[in-house]
Amino acid sequence: MKIKLLSILLIILFFSCKPNQNFGSISFENPILKIDTLYTDNISIRAIMIDQQKVWFAANNNKYGFFDLEKNSKFQTSIFRDSLSLEFRSIAQTNENIFILSVGNPALLFKISKSDYQSELVYKEKGDKVFYDSMQFWSNNDGIAIGDPTSDCFSILITHNGGNSWKKLDCSNLPKLIDGEAAFAASNSNVICKDSRIFIVSGGKKSRIFVSDNEGFSWKVYDTPIIQGEAMTGIFSADFFNKNIGFAVGGNYENQTDNSANKAITTNGGKTWRLSSNNEAFGYASCVQFLPKNNGKTIYSVGTSGLYFSTNKGEKWKKILDDKDLFTIRFQNESTLFAAGKNKLIRINLKK
C-alpha cells in the first residue's frame, strides 16, 4: 500500500514538474524599451533611408532631409521646380549620394550629394499615367526604380553608373500586366533587392511577384494568394530576409479592418506562397520588415491597425504600438527601429 501510494505521488510530481509543451501557444514580451520623437512637421513621410548615423526622409510638400543621430539635430530643405507640388515617396542611396523620386506627372528623380547636400535632376518623365512607387540599389553602381504602367508593363528605370543617368526599359522585354494591375507607393517597399536578385510585388486586379536574377533583363512571374481583384487590394509591401525567405503584407485599403488573405510567406524566392495568420491580427498594412540577424524569424509590420511583430515567421502577431499614423519602418540594427508617417519621424529602441 505504501509502495503504491509512493508511486502515485512520484507520477504526480513528474508531470507537475515537466515544462509546458503546448507548442501552439506563443508568449510575447513587448520589445519596446523607449520611443523618441525625432521630428515633427506638417508632412507625410512614406520613404526613409538610414545612412550610418543619419536617417534620411523623403516627403510631400517638396520636402526632404535627415535627422542626425550624433548631433541630435535635423536638416530639412525643399526642392522647387516651377510651381509643382512634389511628393517624394521613393528614396535610395549609394556611398556618395541619396536619390529621391517624385510620384505623379512629371516624375522627377534627383541626386543629392551626401557631402554638401546639393541636388541635381538626373531623370524626368512626363505623361498622364506616370506614377513611380519605389526605388532601390543592389550595388553602388546598379539601381532600379519602378512605377505604374504607362503601357502594358511596369515602368522600370535602371542605372548602372551610380545613378548619374537612368534608362527606362522597353515593354517588349518585360512581363505584361493585366488591366488594373499596378503597384502601391505606400512605403518604398514594393521593389526589393537581395544581391543581384530583384523582386517586384503588384496589387490591384492581380497581386503577383516578379523576380529577376539578371539585373532586370528577364523576369519570372508568380502568383500569390494575397487578396486581389479590386483596384485597392493586393500587396502593398514586401521584404526579403535573403534570396529565399520573404514576407508580403497588404490587404484591402477600402476595408482596412479586413485581415483576411493579407499576409503571406515564401521560402523559395517567391515561387510559392502560403497565407499566414489568416483572419487574425492586423488588417491593411503599408510596410513590413525583417528584424536583422534573426534567421528570418522575427518580422515587424505597420499599418492603420498599429505596429505589430511576430517571432515565428508571421504565424502569430502581437500589437506593440497603437499608432494609426505610421506608414513606413526601417531597422538601423537589431535594437533600433525607425518609423515615419503623418507629421513625424520616431525612433523605437528595442530589447536585444
Side-chain angles (χ1 to χ4, degrees), residues 150-169:
T150 56
S151 182
D152 58 356
C153 70
F154 274 122
S155 296
I156 297 182
L157 307 179
I158 294 287
T159 181
H160 294 300
N161 59 7
N164 292 320
S165 63
W166 297 74
K167 179 181 179 181
K168 187 172 183 178
L169 300 184

Side-chain angles (χ1 to χ4, degrees), residues 207 223-228 234-235 246-251 258-267 272-280 282 299 312-317:
S207 191
D223 291 330
T224 79
I226 293 286
I227 185 172
Q228 53 200 279
I235 300 174
F247 203 89
V249 299
D258 184 2
N259 56 11
S260 62
N262 71 325
K263 319 166 198 70
I265 188 170
T266 180
T267 57
T272 58
W273 295 78
R274 176 176 57 83
L275 288 176
S276 295
S277 56
N278 197 25
N279 299 307
E280 297 179 4
F282 53 86
I299 314 168
N312 58 352
K313 297 184 178 180
E315 290 300 316
K316 297 291 182 181
W317 296 83

Side-chain angles (χ1 to χ4, degrees), residues 308-324:
Y308 284 73
F309 84 113
S310 170
T311 58
N312 58 352
K313 297 184 178 180
E315 290 300 316
K316 297 291 182 181
W317 296 83
K318 174 73 174 180
K319 181 188 284 191
I320 52 176
L321 185 60
D322 190 17
D323 190 331
K324 297 181 180 180

Side-chain angles (χ1 to χ4, degrees), residues 8-299:
I8 293 173
L9 289 173
L10 287 172
I11 291 171
I12 293 172
L13 183 63
F14 173 76
F15 280 102
S16 65
C17 292
K18 287 186 70 177
N20 183 6
Q21 295 190 22
N22 182 11
F23 296 111
S25 63
I26 303 295
S27 176
F28 285 99
E29 181 182 2
N30 194 324
I32 291 181
L33 287 173
K34 183 182 178 182
I35 298 176
D36 299 313
T37 300
L38 304 179
Y39 170 83
T40 59
D41 192 6
N42 182 19
I43 199 169
S44 175
I45 303 174
R46 292 186 178 272
I48 58 177
M49 173 69 63
I50 301 168
D51 175 39
Q52 299 181 27
Q53 293 301 309
K54 290 184 176 69
V55 185
W56 287 81
F57 63 86
N60 65 338
N61 297 330
N62 303 76
K63 296 177 182 179
Y64 75 91
F66 62 80
F67 188 89
D68 191 316
L69 300 171
E70 287 185 334
K71 297 179 180 179
N72 197 34
S73 64
K74 68 179 180 182
F75 167 82
Q76 178 187 296
T77 189
S78 301
I79 292 178
F80 294 103
R81 289 279 166 160
D82 301 324
S83 59
L84 295 172
S85 178
L86 300 177
E87 181 172 2
F88 300 107
R89 296 194 184 187
S90 301
I91 191 168
Q93 68 173 323
T94 61
N95 291 343
E96 297 82 19
N97 300 294
I98 295 288
F99 296 84
I100 58 175
L101 173 61
S102 66
V103 298
N105 178 27
L108 303 177
L109 200 166
F110 292 93
K111 179 178 71 172
I112 302 161
S113 169
K114 291 183 181 180
S115 59
D116 60 14
Y117 314 136
Q118 294 298 305
S119 64
E120 175 188 353
L121 181 65
V122 291
Y123 181 82
K124 180 178 181 179
E125 182 178 346
K126 291 183 177 181
D128 293 338
K129 295 182 179 180
V130 170
F131 195 96
Y132 279 90
D133 303 284
S134 61
M135 179 169 48
Q136 294 286 328
F137 277 81
W138 67 87
S139 76
N140 199 47
N141 291 317
D142 307 301
I144 182 172
I146 71 109
D148 291 350
T150 56
S151 182
D152 58 356
C153 70
F154 274 122
S155 296
I156 297 182
L157 307 179
I158 294 287
T159 181
H160 294 300
N161 59 7
N164 292 320
S165 63
W166 297 74
K167 179 181 179 181
K168 187 172 183 178
L169 300 184
D170 190 272
C171 272
S172 61
N173 298 319
L174 296 174
K176 305 305 179 187
L177 301 182
I178 71 164
D179 187 32
E181 183 179 14
F184 297 110
S187 58
N188 193 44
S189 57
N190 49 25
V191 58
I192 308 98
C193 300
K194 285 298 175 183
D195 298 325
S196 59
R197 177 171 289 181
I198 306 170
F199 303 92
I200 298 174
V201 291
S202 69
K205 294 296 182 70
K206 195 75 173 175
S207 191
R208 299 186 289 177
I209 184 164
F210 302 72
V211 184
S212 175
D213 283 309
N214 54 10
E215 302 182 341
F217 288 105
S218 64
W219 297 82
K220 295 179 181 179
V221 187
Y222 305 104
D223 291 330
T224 79
I226 293 286
I227 185 172
Q228 53 200 279
E230 302 294 332
M232 298 304 294
T233 60
I235 300 174
F236 280 74
S237 172
D239 191 28
F240 276 77
F241 183 78
N242 53 34
K243 285 186 174 183
N244 294 312
I245 301 173
F247 203 89
V249 299
N252 185 349
Y253 189 81
E254 295 178 333
N255 183 10
Q256 297 188 9
T257 60
D258 184 2
N259 56 11
S260 62
N262 71 325
K263 319 166 198 70
I265 188 170
T266 180
T267 57
N268 57 12
K271 295 177 182 178
T272 58
W273 295 78
R274 176 176 57 83
L275 288 176
S276 295
S277 56
N278 197 25
N279 299 307
E280 297 179 4
F282 53 86
Y284 161 76
S286 58
C287 191
V288 64
Q289 293 287 287
F290 281 95
L291 179 74
K293 300 180 181 180
N294 195 247
N295 296 321
K297 293 180 180 179
T298 301
I299 314 168

